[in-house]
Amino acid sequence: MTRGWRRGSAALREVWVRHPRWSLALRGAVAAALAWVVGVLAPAPLSEYPYYAPLGAVVATAGTLARSARESLQTVGALLLGAGIALAADAVLEPSALAVALVVGVALLCAGWRVLGGTGVWVANSALFVLVLGQGQDAEYIGAFAGLVVVGAGIGIVVNLLWPPLPITPSDLALRALRASLVEQLDDLADWLDDEGPLEPDEWERRRHALYPTIEGARAAVAHSGEASRGNLRARRYGERVRTQARESAVLGAAAEVVDEVVRLLVDGERTGRDDVALGPRLRPELATALRSFADALRDPVDDTDDTDGDSADDPCAGFARSLDRLRDVVRESRERTGGDHFVAGALVVVLGRGHDVLAG
């Protein structure tokens, strides 16, 4: 029974860390409940509008620790700006469709102010609330509205401080997916050169574009975990892991650019329907071998803490270097024998050399 409990708790934890949205939802729910209690217990007139306190709590817990403080200040600024617009309109216009149109128009213009960031939408919301709901008690309503949002945001920030988000596992998964996608692309490209010969441009253009979301997703996930580590007490424990993710993201991003350029060169110079293909039967097998070696080096990166010699036969990066040297020699021999330019083949050698440098770091 104990073993089953441990297995079940481990599985639950794995699901939990894979889906940070769950912990975000729980943090937001706890912060909103606490803010509601504080709003209800606050002195009048604040206690008449307790529902605005959870609003501030949700704003503060919706992002990382560093972002929550910044966005809380921006939200309060947006609320006060919207309230000011509503007060100015109320002073010169009676409640009417014209007043609403004027307030919303001005608020939406101000919502694009860069200082407000992504919280600009609250300018129009605040302006409408104050204009419609604050009639006859503008000062009281604005004070309660802004004050409770500030209190709720403070509670949300405290909850984030005590239970800070640090989405490391999703970043690991995103990087793992990117690495696997690059390896698959290289293996498929090598198989195609061996079995099919020249490339089908439409097929490989589709594959290139299909890889972009994976690349951007990995970069965004790593950037998010890096932002989450700022001011985060848990980052002391996972700081090295966050830095490792940043390094791996840079390496895989550069490797992705190399793979993309290889496909571009091959689609342009080794495509079906072209009479003077760039490589031909003589060079294609050597390039396919180099691509597989590149895939092996990506699949099994060298551990920086490994004490083995970097020139070991078991080192995939060293194997990639040897296959690249072989490709370089074969291209040179072919050029001397045929007298051809071999521009695309030479460019492929240079691009793959950059890929080796990226992995060898």
Side-chain angles (χ1 to χ4, degrees):
M1 182 176 179
T2 302
R3 182 177 302 176
W5 169 258
R6 289 177 180 174
R7 188 181 297 112
S9 62
L12 183 60
R13 175 173 174 77
E14 177 68 14
V15 173
W16 179 266
V17 296
R18 281 173 175 265
H19 302 281
R21 176 67 58 177
W22 291 9
S23 61
L24 183 149
L26 185 56
R27 280 196 312 273
V30 170
L34 292 174
W36 170 267
V37 172
V38 171
V40 170
L41 297 178
L46 297 180
S47 58
E48 298 177 16
Y49 309 94
Y51 34 83
Y52 290 128
L55 176 63
V58 170
V59 169
T61 55
T64 63
L65 182 60
R67 188 185 302 173
S68 66
R70 180 178 69 250
E71 290 189 350
S72 296
L73 291 175
Q74 289 175 325
T75 300
V76 172
L79 293 175
L80 293 177
L81 178 58
I85 293 171
L87 284 177
D90 190 50
V92 297
L93 294 174
E94 294 294 329
S96 63
L98 176 62
V100 170
L102 178 63
V103 166
V104 170
V106 174
L108 289 177
L109 287 175
C110 294
W113 191 17
R114 188 170 56 182
V115 174
L116 299 177
T119 67
V121 64
W122 290 109
V123 178
N125 291 343
S126 172
L128 281 174
F129 285 160
V130 172
L131 182 68
V132 176
L133 301 179
Q135 289 293 324
Q137 45 185 355
D138 293 341
E140 176 183 304
Y141 183 81
I142 293 173
F145 186 25
L148 287 172
V149 169
V150 170
V151 170
I155 292 172
I157 291 172
V158 171
V159 170
N160 262 1
L161 279 170
L162 297 176
W163 190 8
L166 190 57
I168 291 180
T169 298
S171 300
D172 281 340
L173 295 174
L175 289 172
R176 193 180 307 165
L178 175 56
R179 185 183 296 278
S181 296
L182 292 175
V183 168
E184 181 182 12
Q185 185 95 310
L186 288 168
D187 283 338
D188 287 350
L189 188 56
D191 291 342
W192 190 287
L193 289 173
D194 272 345
D195 301 334
E196 305 290 340
L199 275 64
E200 289 287 350
D202 292 343
E203 165 74 11
W204 286 95
E205 284 295 329
R206 182 187 62 77
R207 291 180 180 231
R208 281 184 56 240
H209 291 293
L211 191 60
Y212 293 161
T214 305
I215 297 171
E216 293 305 318
R219 287 174 174 166
V222 172
H224 184 61
S225 62
E227 182 187 53
S229 68
R230 293 201 295 269
N232 194 324
L233 297 178
R234 295 171 62 198
R236 297 179 182 178
R237 178 181 176 186
Y238 297 104
E240 183 57 35
R241 191 172 168 189
V242 172
R243 289 188 289 272
T244 299
Q245 284 184 347
R247 290 193 297 269
E248 184 178 4
S249 176
V251 169
L252 291 179
E257 293 176 0
V258 170
V259 173
D260 186 69
E261 186 61 24
V262 168
V263 176
R264 281 177 181 271
L265 288 168
L266 288 173
V267 165
D268 181 61
E270 191 72 9
R271 67 174 183 266
T272 55
R274 179 171 177 144
D275 296 331
D276 55 337
V277 292
L279 302 177
R282 175 73 179 94
L283 298 181
R284 275 199 298 266
E286 296 297 338
L287 177 60
T289 299
L291 292 175
R292 289 193 180 94
S293 297
F294 189 11
D296 290 340
L298 271 173
R299 183 185 291 110
D300 186 19
V302 178
D303 189 348
D304 293 338
T305 62
D306 193 351
D307 294 331
T308 59
D309 186 355
D311 295 327
S312 169
D314 294 332
D315 179 2
C317 197
F320 180 27
R322 289 191 295 271
S323 67
L324 192 55
D325 287 339
R326 172 64 181 165
L327 175 63
R328 187 179 292 110
D329 291 340
V330 172
V331 170
R332 187 180 294 114
E333 292 170 3
S334 178
R335 183 175 57 205
E336 292 173 353
R337 186 179 67 257
T338 64
D341 292 324
H342 288 64
F343 290 141
V344 173
L348 286 166
V349 171
V350 172
V351 171
L352 288 173
R354 191 167 73 242
H356 174 267
D357 294 341
V358 165
L359 297 182

